[in-house]
Amino acid sequence: MSGTSEGPTPAADLIGPAVTESNLQPSPGTGAPPYRSAFRAAPLAMAVVDRDGLVAGANPTFAELLGTTPAALTGCVVADLMDLASDARTWHTYREVLRGRQAELRCTRRLKHPEGHSLWVQVTIAPLPGEESEGLLLSVADISAHRELQARLRHLQMHDPVTLLPNRTLFFERLSTTLEVESYEESGTTGRIGLCYLDLDGFKAINDTLGHRVGDKLLAAVAERLTACAEQAGYSRSSPPLVARLGGDEFALLIEDSTGTEQLADLAESVLEALRAPFDISGRRLSVTASVGVVERHAAGTTPTALMQAADTTLYWAKADGKDRWTLFDPERNAHLITRQALAATLRPAIERGEFALEYQPLVGMEDGRLSGVEALVRWNHPQFGVLAPNRFIGLAEEDGSIVPLGRWILATACRQARAWQLAHPDEPPIFVSVNVAVRQVWDSDLVADVARILDETQLDPQLLQLELTESAVMGSGGRPLQDLQALSDMGVRIAIDDFGTGYSNLAYLSRLPVSVLKLDGSFVRGFQYESDNSAAVPPNPADEVVVEAMIQLAHRLGLTVTAECVETLAQASRLRRIGCDTGQGWLYSRPVPPDRISELLGVRV
């Protein structure tokens, strides 16, 4: 054999253009053909295949690979030897190559050796060269070592080096596969998925004080306990949960065939119990707990992103609820959270768009039953969620600082309305307007300057403006807040303590504050609601009346007036009047109403 081409000669060229089963054998009376010697000695496993898919001849390397002899392979079905019918695409391509409609088949196969071990091979089937050739050349390369190296590299890539658990990448790969429709529709499983997402409580302190080496050992010990919990869970329908470290001190336990929330709850409880026991790390006795977010739902319609968002939210709830506990995902609570976030994002623009309005609730004199003032209550006419009461958004406004521009708008609108009532009813005694003020308005804005400017612009008498602050905000005030309250009082504005009796209740401190009005919290008034002419009614608690009467008497001795909130019945009003309460506010008199309704109440006994 001669040639001028550089590099190794292709195995097909060694065999020749017209190799068949017959010419692989030496002709009688002649020596072995050169190509036959090369075919037999080739280090690459090869065989000649006829157009019916049968082995026409095989070299020793091919026979050795399959644990047999060349003679035993002759006449064998290639598709069976190489497992070519195991998937439809490979089988179709192979048949097209046999028919001469496709040039080549390349595929990777895992074969079972007669001695019991498996091997990975790269299979190539292509026509023998030569126009008259009717045969095909099958070549098989053992790639088991390469595959083993790939598997080792993948394991390193997909596992956490500290805990040896699957890492975030492998967890999401497994999760995505689990959520594929085919995986649960064709497997006969429950079609549900469960996730326990946990975070260690207090791990950062251990890591910061004792160092990362101790922290890593603690994480490895935690991983062992989590794995034990998963293995001891005893699931009869499915394999144990996948335990993964997602990063830092965050772990996840994934149940691919959940039977319901009870199963997840049992697993979460066992995890918490396992982690409560102290750890012995490098001679130190360390204690940690965990917070667990639990999500269980149908796999259909769920995405990895949605599942992890729900788990993360639920984990946050467990942390906020006190740690060392598990919390189940609540769609209603989550919807409320999403709504809250949506409101927070649109609060400031809503002020600019004029989406807020004020309603007014009457403040009625207990002696004469006449309207003496109103409390301004803000409403948000939200384009998506409808009319929202203050408790839905005032807290958000205080958190992000938008309470300052909103409070300024409320103050200006209320003062303008109070002045409009005064001008529209000159023959009636003017009524005052009471406006709630948040502590942040005192700290983050010049409240005194804002009030002075608004009173000047609206021409409202300062004595017709009352500012309400909560008891916890006023009691113990010092520095700037106290100075601002004093400046407002000196201006003629009345200062009221709202929800009195729920906070510090330091009555002696009142004498040093520029306060003129106490508004008793509604919880005191509700204690009067059982008084009735009905003999079957529950009798009133005398202690309620004693406490309220004592507060009213002390307030009067300090020169303060008292307003009772949440007055809902005539019996309550009668008792409050009897013990000296000055003003009442509640549904007995009126709910919050638009400005024109207040105009109708002026001069009328309520």
Side-chain angles (χ1 to χ4, degrees), residues 286-367:
L286 303 178
S287 296
V288 294
T289 57
S291 300
V292 186
V294 177
V295 183
E296 201 280 338
R297 59 178 55 171
H298 284 288
T302 300
T303 65
T305 300
L307 187 68
M308 291 307 299
Q309 284 179 342
D312 188 60
T313 298
T314 312
L315 174 59
Y316 169 79
W317 293 344
K319 290 279 190 184
D321 292 343
K323 303 179 181 180
D324 190 21
R325 68 191 62 214
W326 63 270
T327 302
L328 183 66
F329 179 75
D330 181 357
E332 292 186 6
R333 184 175 179 180
N334 186 59
H336 177 74
L337 178 63
I338 293 174
T339 302
R340 189 174 189 272
Q341 293 171 340
L343 293 178
T346 57
L347 221 166
R348 285 182 181 272
I351 300 172
E352 300 172 0
R353 291 193 296 264
E355 294 179 1
F356 292 93
L358 294 184
E359 290 185 343
Y360 302 87
Q361 187 168 30
L363 298 166
V364 178
M366 300 296 290
E367 286 297 331

Side-chain angles (χ1 to χ4, degrees), residues 340-341 343-344 347 392-402:
R340 189 174 189 272
Q341 293 171 340
L343 293 178
L347 221 166
R392 294 289 301 276
F393 58 86
I394 289 297
L396 295 174
E398 291 178 348
E399 289 177 10
D400 69 2
S402 58

Side-chain angles (χ1 to χ4, degrees), residues 393-441:
F393 58 86
I394 289 297
L396 295 174
E398 291 178 348
E399 289 177 10
D400 69 2
S402 58
I403 190 65
V404 173
L406 178 59
R408 192 178 292 125
W409 176 87
I410 294 172
L411 183 63
T413 304
C415 289
R416 192 178 303 111
Q417 182 60 62
R419 179 58 175 164
W421 284 322
Q422 185 181 11
L423 294 176
H425 304 273
D427 297 333
E428 297 293 339
I431 60 173
F432 68 89
V433 62
S434 190
V435 178
N436 291 277
V437 176
V439 176
R440 191 160 183 174
Q441 289 178 258

Side-chain angles (χ1 to χ4, degrees), residues 4-276:
T4 59
S5 61
E6 297 181 357
T9 304
D13 291 346
L14 293 176
I15 298 174
V19 178
T20 64
E21 181 181 3
S22 59
N23 64 24
L24 277 174
Q25 305 298 325
S27 302
T30 65
Y35 57 76
R36 182 174 181 275
S37 298
F39 180 74
R40 290 177 58 86
L44 180 66
M46 294 185 294
V48 175
V49 182
D50 62 25
R51 292 292 177 175
D52 292 325
L54 305 177
V55 175
N59 69 356
T61 306
F62 184 78
E64 182 180 356
L65 183 70
L66 298 182
T68 184
T69 64
L73 289 173
T74 301
C76 290
V77 179
V78 172
D80 295 341
L81 291 175
M82 297 292 104
D83 192 26
L84 299 181
S86 59
D87 70 86
R89 178 176 296 182
T90 300
W91 175 244
H92 173 74
T93 303
Y94 172 60
R95 291 174 62 83
E96 291 297 287
V97 172
L98 287 179
R99 295 166 182 166
R101 299 174 183 172
Q102 193 156 326
E104 183 181 66
L105 166 67
R106 286 183 182 271
C107 63
T108 301
R109 280 292 178 270
R110 184 181 185 183
L111 305 181
K112 190 75 172 179
H113 195 275
E115 295 181 357
H117 65 273
S118 297
L119 64 153
W120 287 92
V121 296
Q122 180 75 48
V123 178
T124 303
I125 302 177
L128 286 165
E131 296 181 359
E132 299 179 356
S133 174
E134 292 296 326
L136 302 169
L137 178 64
L138 166 66
S139 59
V140 182
D142 187 352
I143 60 171
S144 299
H146 178 67
R147 293 282 298 202
E148 183 179 351
L149 177 60
Q150 282 185 323
R152 290 178 180 175
L153 292 175
R154 173 176 168 78
H155 187 275
L156 291 174
Q157 181 184 10
M158 296 294 186
H159 286 75
D160 172 52
V162 175
T163 63
L164 305 182
L165 292 176
N167 61 14
R168 189 179 191 87
T169 302
L170 181 55
F171 172 80
F172 274 97
E173 182 180 287
R174 180 85 164 263
L175 177 59
S176 298
T177 301
T178 303
L179 292 177
E180 291 177 356
V181 176
E182 297 81 4
S183 66
Y184 55 82
E185 282 191 349
E186 300 176 2
S187 60
T189 63
T190 62
R192 302 185 68 87
I193 189 168
L195 176 64
C196 290
Y197 183 35
L198 68 96
D199 176 273
L200 300 181
D201 305 323
F203 174 76
K204 186 177 185 301
I206 295 175
N207 216 25
D208 291 345
T209 56
L210 301 180
H212 291 279
R213 183 183 297 273
V214 173
D216 286 350
K217 289 183 178 180
L218 177 59
L219 289 174
V222 167
E224 290 180 1
R225 292 191 184 181
L226 294 180
T227 302
C229 287
E231 292 174 349
Q232 296 169 7
Y235 299 112
S236 58
R237 291 177 53 89
S238 61
S239 58
L242 171 70
V243 184
R245 181 190 177 195
L246 302 188
D249 59 341
E250 297 177 357
F251 296 84
L253 291 88
L254 178 67
I255 298 179
E256 301 179 15
D257 186 23
S258 169
T259 58
T261 56
E262 184 176 351
Q263 181 186 33
L264 269 295
D266 290 343
L267 177 60
E269 193 59 51
S270 68
V271 164
L272 293 177
E273 187 64 28
L275 296 182
R276 287 183 185 123

